[in-house]
Amino acid sequence: MIDDKKTYDLIVVGAGIFGLWTAKWAGEAGLNVLLAESCPDIGQGASNGLLGALMPFLPTGWIEKKQFQFDALLELEMLTQKLEDETGLQTGYGRVGRIMPVRKERFLKEAEARKKAAEEIWKDYTFAHYQDNRFENWLSGGSTPLGYLLDTFAARLNPRLYSVALKAALPPCVTIRTGYTFEGFENNIARFNNGREKVSSKAIVLAQGYQTFSYPHKILGLDIGTGIKGQAATFKLSLPEGLPILYDDGIYVVPHQNGFCAVGSTSEKTWEDCQSTDEKLATDEKLETLIQKAFNLCPLLKEAIEVERWAGIRPKCHEREPIVGKLFEDKPIYVATGGFKISFGIAHRLSKALIEEISGQSATFHLPDNYAPEYHMKAALT
């Protein structure tokens, strides 16, 4: 049946980090919004992860996309504080910095270049090489034969708390419907749940994570992106607040509030453990190996209580950059996904730019050209 009670100005499909921010900005722009999520609750899929590491690009080789991410990460500190003030809920945000052990001589020369670049570009934040033992109870001395690099710009947040706070901050003109599986959008009618539900809308934004890639493939036959399996675990132990993130050879150790600490994540391009009913993934031996490496990096974790293990699928465009904008020139269908490891740090900015485009507002800032759908579709053809 067609829901004829209201014609929405915008339907946002997917209530993960991209969908929540898109719905929030759209509502604040005065649009009547339907936020449709196939899962029983918001913030599922990749947005239900454990890590929450907000890692800046390295300050050397500065280009447009690095500046865009840097500005977005600066904004996020203010935006999360605003969310917490408005809702009374925590987001778990903290600018705690990042430690990277130095194991090879060649990185020392690169460290000096990064330090000078950070002084010029990061301004108030530093990137420096140390050989002291101020983190000896947090970082294994055996992991730092040549000291460690410390940047003071990296931050972390709690993905689940962040999603809940965003949901609480949605304007009243945003209607949330869960258990709504998107099927298609034609003639301003969106179909859900095998056509049993039909909703009228002036435009639609597809923000379903990796599942978004199936739509341009179905309509245009273009392979724009894929899903990458990630894994993580959470531990509970007594930790002082404000410890920096540890990063070493693909391993993240992220200390959160109240003694919780997340460890992850692997990146698998193929997997066979997806359950078709709810698309949950199982953790496997790769996570076990990762945890053992994390214990070597941070021996304190051996004393911790393991709380949870998690696996999920993160969206990654083949060109690595996110895809944001109008998908078809002659149809009001837009997309917002991709980003892979940097999504949580830039979703608010990408979504704002998208809503400004949809609502005809003046652009607050310029999106990098390689974020545009045309760029990804052209790349898929070559």
Side-chain angles (χ1 to χ4, degrees):
M1 60 178 291
I2 296 180
D3 182 349
D4 57 3
K5 296 179 181 178
K6 178 189 291 185
T7 295
Y8 291 94
D9 297 310
L10 182 67
I11 294 174
V12 179
V13 182
I17 194 65
F18 275 109
L20 287 164
W21 271 114
T22 300
K24 178 171 169 44
W25 293 130
E28 291 181 1
L31 304 182
N32 289 316
V33 182
L34 172 64
L35 179 58
E37 168 58 51
S38 61
C39 294
D41 200 359
I42 61 94
Q44 301 303 299
S47 296
N48 195 42
L50 303 174
L51 280 182
L54 303 173
M55 314 283 270
F57 286 118
L58 295 174
T60 48
W62 205 248
I63 55 177
E64 183 185 25
K65 76 170 186 179
K66 290 190 174 187
Q67 185 66 52
F68 183 88
Q69 191 223 25
F70 182 81
D71 293 338
L73 290 173
L74 280 177
E75 291 171 348
L76 192 55
E77 183 169 11
M78 175 271 294
L79 288 173
T80 52
Q81 185 60 60
K82 185 178 179 182
L83 277 176
E84 292 180 357
D85 292 343
E86 289 179 353
T87 65
L89 300 172
Q90 295 295 308
T91 63
Y93 181 90
R95 192 176 295 284
V96 294
R98 161 182 56 171
I99 288 178
M100 293 172 282
V102 181
R103 302 178 185 275
K104 298 179 180 179
E105 290 280 352
R106 62 186 177 89
F107 286 121
L108 294 178
K109 185 178 293 186
E110 178 63 21
E112 186 61 29
R114 294 174 184 176
K115 176 183 177 182
K116 291 180 179 179
E119 290 172 352
E120 178 182 349
I121 298 168
W122 287 6
K123 305 297 185 185
D124 296 331
Y125 303 97
T126 60
F127 195 115
H129 175 239
Y130 296 93
Q131 291 183 301
D132 56 43
N133 62 352
R134 76 181 87 173
F135 297 109
E136 64 176 338
N137 293 325
W138 178 232
L139 177 64
S140 167
S143 301
T144 58
L146 298 174
Y148 58 90
L149 305 177
L150 173 64
D151 93 64
T152 61
F153 187 62
R156 49 87 168 137
L157 53 71
N158 184 307
R160 297 175 182 179
L161 296 181
Y162 184 35
S163 295
V164 170
L166 270 173
K167 177 184 177 182
L170 292 176
C173 56
V174 177
T175 300
I176 301 175
R177 290 187 182 173
T178 56
Y180 260 49
T181 301
F182 176 69
E183 301 292 337
F185 184 75
E186 295 177 3
N187 301 320
N188 295 100
I189 299 294
R191 302 189 314 279
F192 296 92
N193 300 341
N194 294 319
R196 294 193 302 273
E197 307 288 344
K198 298 179 181 179
V199 184
S200 176
S201 177
K202 297 176 183 177
I204 192 166
V205 173
L206 305 180
Q208 307 155 276
Y210 82 99
Q211 294 173 317
T212 305
F213 299 133
S214 65
Y215 197 75
H217 186 270
K218 176 182 177 181
I219 304 300
L220 301 175
L222 295 179
D223 186 12
I224 290 175
T226 189
I228 303 292
K229 180 180 176 181
Q231 301 189 65
T234 295
F235 297 84
K236 183 76 167 66
L237 69 164
S238 178
L239 289 175
E241 291 291 329
L243 285 172
I245 297 165
L246 304 181
Y247 176 74
D248 185 38
D249 192 27
I251 299 170
Y252 296 84
V253 178
V254 186
H256 287 282
Q257 293 172 311
N258 304 320
F260 288 96
C261 184
V263 171
S265 67
T266 55
S267 294
E268 302 170 45
K269 294 182 179 180
T270 59
W271 61 90
E272 297 179 353
D273 55 351
C274 187
Q275 302 173 19
S276 59
T277 53
D278 57 9
E279 295 195 347
K280 279 191 174 180
L281 295 179
T283 57
D284 55 37
E285 71 283 351
K286 292 184 179 180
L287 177 58
E288 190 62 49
T289 300
L290 187 149
I291 290 172
Q292 293 304 313
K293 289 182 178 180
F295 286 170
N296 293 333
L297 183 64
C298 180
L300 273 177
L301 289 175
K302 296 178 182 179
E303 306 170 10
I305 299 171
E306 186 174 318
V307 177
E308 179 184 358
R309 294 191 176 197
W310 172 90
I313 307 175
R314 297 176 292 184
K316 180 182 179 183
C317 292
H318 293 316
E319 296 303 303
R320 297 191 64 86
E321 317 302 344
I323 177 170
V324 182
K326 196 172 187 180
L327 192 57
F328 306 106
E329 185 175 342
D330 60 341
K331 298 178 181 179
I333 301 175
Y334 300 80
V335 293
T337 193
F340 191 35
K341 296 179 181 180
I342 66 172
S343 295
F344 269 81
I346 63 175
H348 61 283
R349 215 166 204 252
L350 297 180
S351 300
K352 185 168 184 62
L354 183 61
I355 291 304
E356 288 174 345
E357 177 184 350
I358 293 172
S359 61
Q361 302 176 56
S362 298
T364 303
F365 41 75
H366 172 69
L367 290 180
D369 293 339
N370 54 3
Y371 288 9
E374 308 89 76
Y375 171 84
H376 290 275
M377 287 192 282
K378 183 178 179 180
L381 290 170
T382 59

